[in-house]
Every structure is written in structure tokens, then in C-alpha cells.
Amino acid sequence: MSETTNSPKASGQGVPPAEVAAPHRYTAALAADIEARWQDVWDAEGTYEAPNPDGDLGGDPEVVARPTKFIMDMFPYPSGAGLHVGHPLGYIATDVTARFHRMTGHNVLHTLGFDAFGLPAEQYAVQTGTHPRVSTEANMENMKAQLRRLGLGHDKRRSFATIDPDYYKWTQWIFLQIFNSWFDEQAGKARPISELVARFESGERATPDGRPWSELSAAERDAVLGEYRLAYASDSPVNWCPGLGTVLANEEVTADSRSERGNFPVFKSKLRQWNMRITAYGDRLLDDLDALDWPEAIKLQQRNWIGRSEGARVDFAVDGHDEKITVFTTRPDTLFGATYMVLAPEHGLVDAIVPAAWPEGTKERWTGGAATPADAIAAYRKQAQSKTDVERQTEGKDKTGVFTGAYAVNPVTGERIPVFVGDYVLMGYGTGAIMAVPGQDERDWEFATAFELPIVRTVQPPEGWEGEAYGGQGPAINSANDQLDINGMGVDEAKRTVIDWLAERGIGEGTVNFRLRDWLFSRQRYWGEPFPIVYDENGVAHPLPESMLPLELPEVEDYSPRTFDPDDADTEPETPLSRNEDWVNVELDLGDGPKRYRRETNTMPNWAGSCWYELRYLDPHNDQRLVSPEAERYWMGPREDKPHGGVDLYVGGAEHAVLHLLYARFWSKVLFDLGHISSAEPFHKLFNQGMIQAYVYRDARGIAVPAAEVEEHDNVFYYEGGKVSRLLGKMGKSLKNAVTPDEICAEYGADTLRLYEMAMGPLDVSRPWDTRAVVGQYRLLQRLWRNVVDEATGEVTVVDAEADEETLRALHKAVDGVTQDLANMRFNTAIAKITELNNHVVKLREVPRPVAETLVLLIAPLAPHIAEELWRRLGHQDSVVHRSFPVADPAYVVDETVTCVVQVKGKVKARLEVPPAISGEELEQVALADPAVVAALDGAGIRKVIVRAPKLVNIVPA
């Protein structure tokens, strides 16, 4: 590399004339050489390795003593399509932030792993016969190469993939902690299941049927504990897709109840599935949101998804049966207006209460044209299976349902009211049953009107009300019996009175309900984590001991789930793992001698590995425990500014606003309750980046055509001579508008790509990609290069001299502004300030060394490769990565003068250049002495002078 020289800059600060040779100009080829070379240096020297306070990643005590920053991206999935330029937006942003915090004196943990289990790799395996691990690992290697080219400063020692047995061993271990726990409502937290067993054994807690614990069989004990465990198996309603042969998560089902992959029909079915009792944490998941530094829109989505509501549980006796129908209502004050009931088609009581024949007097409209109630229910269930929950809840006049043939008894009126099945009631909310109050609920009104059912108003609508159902506030009406009279009461008082009356009679109680449902945790797929559970001959589930973990995913000859006729809802899944009989049926010694067991053949959902990965980044090689307590407290423990602990900054798309974040929060809280970690929340600060969009061009058939081959003439777009339409949308391979980072790096260099993506606009706003605009940031780097290096000789041209006053002010204002912008992730405005300073320096005849060095350090977080190269050429042997970020001198940040406007009678008469720190008294004197002001007053007296130093003086003449 060239020795540092003090020779003046070459004349002609713009682009050199074409005839002048410039072998040392900053070009794409030079950028590629610089970038590859520095990436090798960073890897060889472990530049981005963040030391832990203990363990195999322990390091320099001086660095460990620094304040910490744990900065994370959302887990990427290694797609076979590779990255397009939209994908790195968040990765570059976190990298810039991490680099800035390193330079401001922090020990920064920044790394990236891969969320590598899931459906896409399995589907590819089904289609090609390639093992999912082979294709997934190839995709990861490609993605790693693409990400490395961007110069991301990751601690690569901490990287892993969820498919690594050393990783999913601990995913299985966490599942067992959850399985072996129950939620103690008195303590408000998870406790070991052994404590609950001890309470049953001692008689402190009675068993459901009152028998001593010792008299229960193993299967009976298992069933009792299953009602308490935080991970439990039950018959659950699922989205069953016969055409794919698997159960699908809600997010894998389209709005018209078809599979996202393959477009097959999806039906509601019941299967024995693993669930997580996330509902036990409803209150804490809500309450702890308040202390998190998250976008309010994301908090609102979480609150709405959890859906906490206060009300009452009410029991309705079923006429002629021992069964009772329990409903949850937020309006117990309207109980007198309940004129019928509706059960969800999947409700477990339906079959128990359906009579053999229609009761005398049943209206034809109620039967659905069926000969018997059982026939009507069966036909209606078949119809309801084909609808999504969204469709079932859509408002509209066409409410459907059938009469069960059974009647319930309204507990406050004593009247027999018919019980219907209707698909507008969901098992996923409340109890799967409602008391229908058509006078106060629009959907109930529509149903009552369709089925000719009574409508009784129980709340007085406001005067002039001309609507149908009235759901607002008002005094109670038509609401009294011999023992209870709430007429005239407001809603709140009426609610309390009714709840007390129900509780006294043991037929209801005040309670809290959640929209949140327990988390369905089973998938009938191959490419996922095996459950560490085996079943004995009685079907009792047994957890594997930790010594048997990881339970590795076995080889199977066929990865495909068994598929069926897509329209045959009466089928059940056959899992790929069930075909490996040697793996499924095993002899194990679980502590009481060798016995035969059957393994669980479902796998965990793709959410499992991403529920806790932030913890493994902290201590990735620990084979003795989930995470070292010291490392977890050091990086994620609670602090004054983050009372629940967690990652300091988590960046990712808003599409994960609910499920991933909710599931990860739940796992953290369970692990916190059991004493495994100190952080009750996984992510303290959340930032959602916007999307990089691109134009989609479609031909007359509506088919996307390659964007790169579209030509524009007079604002009209053509592809192969034919007109095409243009619309801004997502970027992607299927839309034929994807631009890869490799293309941009080859043409301009990675630093240019980094700058362009950060300069496009505010990080949280979506923005359109424009390849033509990339050149603007390329020219910024070329000018920066010329400010330090002579393009003809390669010599450094800075001089050892002091900067002039104007340059010092420009420099320190830029330092002050860029510091604030980077601290607040305003990357676009930081780049604008750097560009302004760089343009100022371009105009200088000579560039003082302190100015050049400060400029290089300012841009280092954003364009690290060129910064490292220039720093080295400026004679430094250390890396800019750990250099201190420049600090502004306050004396130069403040403007030397500011403009003060002087008004007389509200009209501007003078503009004065005054010091920013001028006092009000001094400013008044200066203003009154100004000749233009004296002329404007023309000898008139002064009634009042209003001074707002240093920018305004308003003079009111007498």
C-alpha cells in the first residue's frame, strides 16, 4: 500500500477529464478487490467476535467490562431462490447499528443463524427425491456467500441452524420443561408438575372425582395431569388437507379455505394433537407489553389477538338432560333477552343432546330439510367444514344453522329456549356456545329474523333509535323476575348485580376470557423436530430423559405424507415418520427396566426453533445446559431501561407481529418462571423495516414479464413489441422483477449497495427499487476516494494542516447530526449529512488530515470496506471497526450567527445577524437601534416590545 504523503490534492476536484489516465480510480473492480480482501481480514482476525463473561467464548476482560448491545435480525429461512435486494434491507440496517455501537464503546453481539426446518424444503424433497437436509444446507451455503459479500459484521462462531442436532436437542429439552410444568394460578407462574403431583398425593388438592391419588391408574393419573400440563395432547380441531395429506396451520390456509400450496380444499377435522397452554399466560402477555419498546401498531395487534374481555360464565341446564351448556358473555346484564342458544358445529355437547326425532311443533325452517336432528347436524357439519373461520364470522344477513332438537332453560326467566348449531359460533372463542340476545347483538338479530325466533330488548335504545339490534349503553328494561330486578340500572351496575345473583346460586361467576387459543403444536410432516415423547402400551405419554437427547430425525425412504382424494374430508393423516417402524417401536429403559414403547410420529411446527434462538446465540456451544446463566444475564438480563430484559434491538418484518413474537414471549416466560433465564421477555426493542418494492410488468394476459427486458417510450411500456402494464408491488422471482444483490455488487460494489438501501428513505417505510438511482451513492464513494487518494498515482493526498473555520463548522455539524441519526436509525438523513460534508471537502484545495480521517470514521458503519481501505492508506494499522466514533465539538456545532426577524406592527422591517447566545435585553437594544426599525417607528412611542431571543423581536408602537 502507498506511503502517506503530504502532497497537495491534484487540481480539478470533479471527475478527471477523459484523456487523463486514472488507474487508481474507485471502480467496481477496485471495490470488489477491496471488499473481498477486507472480508478475508475480518474473518482471519475475528474482528467481530464478541466476548462472553465466561465459557468457551470468554475474552478480553476490558471488552467484557463495556456496556453491552445485543442486536438481532429475525431468523432467515434459506430459500433455494437466494436473496434479492429486498432481503438485505434489515440485515444492512442492523449491521450499521451494530458497527455504530461498537464505535461508541459497546461490546456488541451481532450474528445470524438459519431457521431451516419447514415445509418448503420438504416439498422440494417430495418433488425431487433430494433429502431436505441436502437442499437446505446447499441453500444455506449460497445465502452465506451472498451475505458475506455485503460485509455484514457477524460473530460467525455463534451461528447455527435449527436443523443441527446440537441445536434441536435443546428445542426438545425446552419442550420437556413445558411438558413437565403446570401453571399455578395462585402463584401466577409455571411450576414443576412434580409439585402438583405432590399436592395430589398429600390430599392438599383433590382429584377430579375425589378418589385418592394412589387409587388412580397410571392412565387416569396421566389424564388428570393432562388437564394441567403446559404441553398436552388433546383432540383438537385442525385444518385437514387430504390433497396434501397433512394438517395445515391457519397461516397456510387461504381465505377461500384452500391450501396455500397446491390450492387443495381444506376441511375442519379433529385429531389427537399436541398443544401449548399459552392461554394461561394471557394476562402476563398483555400486561408486559407496556414496558416493551415496540411500535404501538404491533402492540395493538398483540392485544387484539390475545383479546382479553371481562364478563361472566353462565350455566344453562339442558331440558331432559344432565348436561349443561356453559357460555361466556361480556354482557350478563342482557341475560333476560336470551331467547335461543347456538353451539359451534364442533361443540362436544351436540351429539349428547340431539334427540332421535324432531320435537313436536318444530318449524320446518329449523330442520334444514332433514328427517331427523342427527341427519340435519351431520349435513350441516359437512357444510361448515368447507368454510374458514373468517368466512364463518363475516357479517351478513345470510346466517345459517339447524335446530339440535334440544331445549335449554334460561336461568333468569325459566323459559325453555331452543338450542341451534350455527357456524357463526366458533370453538376457538369462549366456550364454543353462545346465549343469543338478538335485541342487543346484530348477528343474533339476523339469525333470529331468519329462523323466526323471539326478540326481546333488554337495554333501552336512545330516543329516536331506528335501528335493529342495539349494542350500546342505556338503562336495563324487561329484566326482572321474582328474585332479581335490574330494570333502570346502567350497564355496569346491572352486570355486577346479575353476576352476584348467578354466583349465589352456583350457576355462574364473573370471569375473564381471552380470544387467544391454546397453540396447536403438531405437524404431520417429516422435516421438523421429533417430539421427545414415547407412549407405553396403555397410551400414557412418557418424556425421554435428557440423556437420550437429542432424539434425531430418522431417515425415511418417502418424505411424502400420504395423500387422498382432495375432496374426501373423511380421511386422516399418515405421517412420514410412522413408516419407519424400527424407529417408531423401540425398547427403552426409562428408569424402571426395559419396556416396549411407541414414539410420537408427529413433528414440531416450524415455529419451534425460532421461539428461543436468541438464547442460543449467547452460548452456542454449551452441551451441558441451554445457556450459561452468566452469559444470559450479561447480554439479556433486566436493566433499568429494560425491566423485563431481552434483546436490545430486534429487526424484522411486521408480518411476524403476532404469532412468532407471541410464541417466543410465551417460551421465555415459562423458562423465566422455572429459573432457567433472567429475562421474562425475549425482545425489548422491536423495529419493523419497510419493504423494498419493485415494478411488476404484465402483458395483456395478466402474466408477469421480465422487468429487465421492458422498454419505455413516452411513458408507455413495451415487452417484445407489445404493451404491458406497470404496477408497484413486491419483488420476487415469480413476478420476474427480482434484482439480486450479486448483480449490484458486481456493477458498483457492496458498499454502494449498502449506502443505496440505507439512503432510499426512512427504514420503516416501504420504498421502490430503482437501479438507475444506485449510481448516486457510487459517485459519493468515488468523491470520498478522490478526497484521500490521487486517482492517477494512488498516492494519499491529504495534508498535515489545520482546517479553516468554515470547514470545522461543517465537519462538527455533520459529526453531531450523523451521531444522532445513527443512534436513532435514521440512516437516510445520516447519509445526506455525510454527502453534504463530503461535497464541502471536494471544494477544498487541500484536505487536512483530521478532516479526512473524521470523514472516513463517519462513513465506516455504512460503508465499512472503503473505510477500512482508506483508514489503512491514511497510515493506521488498526481497524475502523473498533475505533471511537467522532465526537462533535459543541463550539462548532452552534451556528456562529442566527437571523433575527424584527417586526413593527406585525410587519417585517429588519433582519439582524446576531449571536445564538444573545440575551433578550441585548437583542432588544440592537433591534431598536437598527436604522430600518428607527425609520419604521418614525418617532412614535413604544407600547410594548416582545422578544423571543435569538430569532424574533416584535415592536408594538404606542
Side-chain angles (χ1 to χ4, degrees):
M1 294 185 184
S2 303
E3 293 295 322
T4 304
T5 72
N6 293 327
S7 59
K9 269 179 64 176
S11 62
Q13 298 299 314
V15 177
E19 64 271 15
V20 178
H24 298 279
R25 177 180 295 174
Y26 183 81
T27 61
L30 179 57
D33 173 68
I34 290 170
E35 289 163 2
R37 188 155 33 82
W38 279 106
Q39 288 159 16
D40 289 343
V41 170
W42 293 334
D43 284 350
E45 296 183 356
T47 301
Y48 303 106
E49 293 178 358
N52 272 0
D54 69 337
D56 69 313
L57 299 185
D60 185 346
E62 184 180 331
V63 178
V64 172
R66 296 173 184 170
T68 60
K69 285 289 180 183
F70 183 5
I71 295 171
M72 258 182 71
D73 300 280
M74 287 189 182
F75 234 178
Y77 183 83
S79 165
L83 299 177
H84 60 63
V85 291
H87 291 123
L89 179 65
Y91 305 149
I92 295 170
T94 54
D95 187 61
V96 174
T97 302
R99 290 175 180 278
F100 172 71
H101 284 299
R102 285 191 194 95
M103 296 178 75
T104 55
H106 293 80
N107 185 14
V108 178
L109 193 165
H110 187 217
T111 190
L112 194 71
F114 295 92
D115 191 10
F117 276 126
L119 193 59
E122 183 169 318
Q123 290 296 100
Y124 186 77
V126 170
Q127 294 162 10
T128 65
T130 306
H131 193 286
R133 180 177 288 279
V134 173
S135 59
T136 301
E137 289 181 344
N139 294 343
M140 283 193 290
E141 288 308 308
N142 180 51
M143 190 169 173
K144 285 177 184 177
Q146 287 186 295
L147 292 172
R148 184 180 190 271
R149 193 169 185 180
L150 297 174
L152 302 178
H154 294 146
D155 184 344
K156 295 181 179 179
R157 303 171 305 165
R158 297 176 183 267
S159 184
F160 52 77
T162 54
I163 60 175
D164 299 340
D166 286 347
Y167 179 81
Y168 69 73
K169 165 187 175 178
W170 295 104
T171 306
Q172 293 170 336
W173 182 87
I174 295 172
F175 173 83
L176 293 179
Q177 305 312 301
I178 299 172
F179 174 77
N180 285 320
S181 302
W182 65 295
F183 191 80
D184 185 342
E185 292 187 358
Q186 288 184 326
K189 63 180 184 178
R191 306 297 305 147
I193 199 74
S194 57
E195 293 185 9
L196 180 62
V197 171
R199 295 184 189 184
F200 280 129
E201 287 176 336
S202 68
E204 179 185 344
R205 182 186 284 264
T207 61
D209 64 5
R211 286 185 295 159
W213 184 254
S214 60
E215 293 182 10
L216 302 185
S217 67
E220 289 171 328
R221 292 179 185 177
D222 182 58
V224 170
L225 294 178
E227 296 298 314
Y228 294 89
R229 292 186 188 274
L230 288 177
Y232 65 95
S234 71
D235 292 327
S236 305
V238 295
N239 300 309
W240 166 232
C241 181
L244 288 177
T246 186
V247 165
L248 299 177
N250 289 334
E251 63 273 9
E252 297 167 330
V253 182
T254 65
D256 57 350
S257 199
R258 302 184 77 85
S259 63
E260 194 174 50
R261 284 185 173 270
N263 197 37
F264 293 110
V266 177
F267 304 95
K268 290 293 183 185
S269 184
K270 271 200 171 183
L271 291 172
R272 189 96 178 143
Q273 302 283 287
W274 282 99
N275 298 271
M276 294 277 182
R277 208 179 300 275
I278 190 173
T279 48
Y281 282 82
D283 279 323
R284 282 172 60 185
L285 289 169
L286 270 177
D287 295 343
D288 289 355
L289 281 171
D290 293 339
L292 299 181
D293 186 3
W294 287 15
E296 282 304 318
I298 302 297
K299 289 186 179 183
L300 180 61
Q301 288 186 63
Q302 292 249 321
R303 290 187 180 108
N304 289 342
W305 190 268
I306 296 167
R308 186 184 193 277
S309 53
E310 295 185 14
R313 287 187 179 271
V314 186
D315 294 334
F316 286 71
V318 181
D319 196 26
H321 292 268
D322 293 333
E323 283 84 0
K324 62 185 179 182
I325 300 173
T326 300
V327 303
F328 171 81
T329 175
T330 59
R331 294 294 301 271
D333 57 303
T334 65
L335 191 51
F336 284 91
T339 58
Y340 66 98
M341 303 191 77
V342 186
L343 305 182
E346 306 87 356
H347 198 291
L349 267 183
V350 173
D351 294 331
I353 64 175
V354 170
W358 294 114
E360 188 176 343
T362 298
K363 296 178 181 180
E364 182 66 24
R365 176 73 181 83
W366 295 8
T367 67
T372 67
D375 290 343
I377 296 297
Y380 188 77
R381 280 175 166 165
K382 190 109 178 160
Q383 172 189 329
Q385 274 184 321
S386 64
K387 293 184 182 180
T388 65
D389 288 354
V390 173
E391 289 174 317
R392 286 170 59 171
Q393 288 191 298
T394 300
E395 300 292 342
K397 301 289 183 183
D398 55 342
K399 291 292 177 289
T400 64
V402 290
F403 180 40
T404 63
Y407 286 85
V409 179
N410 185 318
V412 295
T413 66
E415 294 182 5
R416 294 170 76 245
I417 58 176
V419 180
F420 285 77
V421 165
D423 63 10
Y424 78 100
V425 178
L426 304 177
M427 279 306 297
Y429 181 74
T431 63
I434 65 164
M435 62 175 211
V437 184
Q440 266 60 63
D441 184 275
E442 185 178 344
R443 292 180 307 166
D444 295 346
W445 181 290
E446 292 161 1
F447 192 96
T449 302
F451 289 89
E452 301 173 2
L453 292 157
I455 297 175
V456 177
R457 288 197 189 279
T458 56
V459 177
Q460 181 66 55
E463 188 175 344
W465 173 262
E466 296 180 356
E468 297 174 341
Y470 174 66
Q473 299 276 323
I477 57 174
N478 302 320
S479 298
N481 61 29
D482 293 342
Q483 303 160 329
L484 176 66
D485 185 349
I486 61 172
N487 284 326
M489 292 183 184
V491 171
D492 291 340
E493 182 185 5
K495 281 183 179 181
R496 291 192 299 270
T497 304
V498 171
I499 290 172
D500 290 344
W501 188 88
L502 293 169
E504 287 172 6
R505 287 154 182 78
I507 54 175
E509 62 178 351
T511 188
V512 173
N513 197 55
F514 294 93
R515 178 181 178 272
L516 179 67
R517 297 294 89 197
D518 281 349
W519 172 16
L520 179 65
F521 200 69
S522 293
R523 295 292 182 273
Q524 289 67 45
R525 310 296 310 193
Y526 169 71
W527 194 232
E529 298 92 340
F531 282 92
I533 294 288
V534 293
Y535 300 92
D536 64 23
E537 59 185 5
N538 297 314
V540 175
H542 296 267
L544 292 181
E546 188 177 330
S547 61
M548 293 186 181
L549 301 182
L551 174 59
E552 294 198 31
L553 195 63
E555 297 296 325
V556 295
E557 293 182 2
D558 182 5
Y559 313 115
S560 308
R562 182 185 174 192
T563 57
F564 302 88
D565 179 339
D567 296 307
D568 188 357
D570 298 323
T571 49
E572 290 189 0
E574 176 188 290
T575 63
L577 288 183
S578 65
R579 300 183 194 127
N580 189 327
E581 292 190 9
D582 291 340
W583 183 82
V584 173
N585 300 299
V586 292
E587 184 174 281
L588 301 172
D589 186 349
L590 301 183
D592 52 356
K595 292 183 180 179
R596 296 292 295 174
Y597 294 96
R598 176 178 55 83
R599 295 194 192 276
E600 171 64 70
T601 60
N602 286 317
T603 53
M604 297 185 196
N606 62 307
W607 305 103
S610 61
C611 276
W612 72 282
Y613 68 123
E614 72 284 352
L615 295 171
R616 197 59 178 171
Y617 281 154
L618 309 180
D619 195 14
H621 311 135
N622 195 330
D623 60 359
Q624 298 301 308
R625 59 197 312 162
L626 181 77
V627 60
S628 149
E630 292 78 10
E632 191 273 334
R633 279 195 302 271
Y634 177 75
W635 292 109
M636 289 183 62
R639 316 249 199 285
E640 186 176 352
D641 59 338
K642 52 175 187 178
H644 299 305
V647 173
D648 294 288
L649 175 64
Y650 192 41
V651 174
E655 65 271 17
H656 298 296
V658 175
L659 297 182
H660 159 61
L661 293 173
L662 204 60
Y663 296 157
R665 295 180 65 214
F666 166 57
W667 277 35
S668 284
K669 291 186 184 305
V670 176
L671 292 171
F672 171 78
D673 288 353
L674 298 176
H676 298 301
I677 59 176
S678 68
S679 47
E681 286 284 343
F683 314 116
H684 172 69
K685 180 177 176 65
L686 174 69
F687 190 98
N688 298 125
Q689 85 272 17
M691 182 186 298
I692 290 184
Q693 299 171 305
Y695 286 111
V696 183
Y697 298 89
R698 297 186 184 275
D699 62 19
R701 301 167 298 167
I703 295 175
V705 302
E709 299 174 30
V710 171
E711 297 180 354
E712 179 183 358
H713 302 288
D714 298 326
N715 249 359
V716 180
F717 302 95
Y718 299 89
Y719 172 69
E720 295 183 344
K723 285 186 181 180
V724 293
S725 64
R726 184 179 81 161
L727 190 67
L728 196 60
K730 282 187 174 183
M731 182 181 285
K733 187 176 179 182
S734 64
L735 296 174
K736 300 183 180 179
N737 63 353
V739 178
T740 70
D742 298 351
E743 296 173 55
I744 304 301
C745 289
E747 191 167 354
Y748 298 104
D751 280 339
T752 295
L753 173 63
R754 289 170 62 102
L755 282 172
Y756 177 64
E757 295 215 0
M758 293 299 96
M760 291 171 75
L763 184 61
D764 58 347
V765 174
S766 292
R767 70 291 304 272
W769 177 268
D770 182 0
T771 299
R772 294 169 301 180
V774 176
V775 71
Q777 302 307 317
Y778 183 52
R779 287 173 181 152
L780 165 62
L781 295 181
Q782 288 183 315
R783 292 189 188 106
L784 172 66
W785 182 264
R786 285 198 299 274
N787 279 330
V788 178
V789 177
D790 187 300
E791 292 182 328
T793 67
E795 297 295 312
V796 171
T797 59
V798 301
V799 296
D800 291 326
E802 293 296 320
D804 61 77
E805 183 84 3
E806 183 184 1
T807 300
L808 286 173
R809 290 196 177 279
L811 180 68
H812 287 281
K813 281 185 179 181
V815 169
D816 181 60
V818 171
T819 301
Q820 294 182 50
D821 287 343
L822 293 184
N824 292 284
M825 301 178 72
R826 297 191 296 261
F827 306 117
N828 58 321
T829 55
I831 292 169
K833 292 178 176 71
I834 291 171
T835 302
E836 185 179 354
L837 173 62
N838 194 55
N839 290 342
H840 175 90
V841 176
V842 164
K843 298 171 187 174
L844 300 177
R845 191 179 69 82
E846 296 178 330
V847 178
R849 174 179 292 278
V851 174
E853 292 184 347
T854 301
L855 189 51
V856 168
L857 292 174
L858 277 183
I859 207 169
L862 292 148
H865 306 92
I866 192 172
E868 288 278 31
E869 183 71 11
L870 291 175
W871 191 248
R872 185 62 58 90
R873 290 187 180 229
L874 284 164
H876 302 283
Q877 296 304 307
D878 60 337
S879 167
V880 292
V881 170
H882 297 293
R883 269 278 172 164
S884 294
F885 200 74
V887 177
D889 185 337
Y892 291 108
V893 171
V894 178
D895 287 331
E896 194 169 10
T897 62
V898 296
T899 301
C900 175
V901 174
V902 184
Q903 296 177 333
V904 178
K905 290 184 181 180
K907 295 183 178 179
V908 177
K909 296 299 180 182
R911 285 184 170 84
L912 310 175
E913 295 300 315
V914 299
I918 192 170
S919 70
E921 281 185 14
E922 290 175 310
L923 185 56
E924 180 178 340
Q925 291 173 9
V926 172
L928 291 174
D930 185 82
V933 174
V934 172
L937 288 171
D938 194 24
I942 297 172
R943 182 158 60 90
K944 184 190 292 186
V945 178
I946 302 166
V947 180
R948 299 285 185 267
K951 293 188 175 182
L952 175 67
V953 176
N954 191 3
I955 302 169
V956 183

